[in-house]
Structures are given as structure tokens and as C-alpha cells.
Amino acid sequence: MASVVPVKEKKLMDVKLGELPSWILMRDFTPKGIAGAFQRGYYQHYNKYVNVRKGGVAGVSMVPAAHVLPSYCLSCKELKRA
């Protein structure tokens, strides 16, 4: 049975493996499209973790953690030499 939703409008998690190449080719890879994707991701994160009634430090602490962990992994070679 064919899907009712067009491939272009599906989310990545709903795309089947055979539809993946055509789904990727339909994405907008212009600078405006990439900026829009980052903006949507930011607002999804903000509304899920930061802009809540009973907020905690979890949403805000994810941003520094996303910076600290890769930085530590990159400096791991220098730490092993010391």
C-alpha cells in the first residue's frame, strides 16, 4: 500500500530506507534553507526544554554540554601527553 503523505512532507523518522535518496534530494540546501533548519531546531529545543512551566537547569545546561564534550574530546590527545 502506497503512502498517502508525499515523501517531501515526511519527517526523517517516517521515511523508509528506499525513499531516503529522493527525500534527501528534495531538501532545501540553500543558505536560507539551512538557516531555516537551524532556526526550527533552536525553537524546538527552546520550547521543549527552556520555555516550560516547571523549568529546570536541564534545557539550559545542554547548550554548554554540547560545547564542552566535543572540546574535551579534541583536547584528549594533549591531556594524554601530560
Side-chain angles (χ1 to χ4, degrees):
M1 183 171 158
S3 177
V4 178
V5 180
V7 176
K8 184 176 184 177
E9 296 178 9
K10 287 185 180 182
K11 294 182 180 181
L12 178 60
M13 295 300 293
D14 299 331
V15 176
K16 294 186 178 178
L17 193 58
E19 300 171 337
L20 189 62
S22 62
W23 182 85
I24 291 173
L25 290 174
M26 290 184 190
R27 299 294 99 194
D28 185 12
F29 289 108
T30 62
K32 185 177 180 181
I34 293 171
F38 276 104
Q39 184 177 18
R40 284 190 306 276
Y42 169 76
Y43 283 119
Q44 285 176 355
H45 172 79
Y46 181 80
N47 288 325
K48 186 173 183 178
Y49 295 107
V50 179
N51 190 21
V52 292
R53 254 185 214 179
K54 291 186 177 181
V57 296
V60 179
S61 65
M62 286 183 191
V63 175
H67 172 72
V68 169
L69 289 174
S71 299
Y72 177 75
C73 292
L74 290 174
S75 66
C76 195
K77 293 176 185 176
E78 288 83 18
L79 292 174
K80 286 182 181 178
R81 285 188 226 148

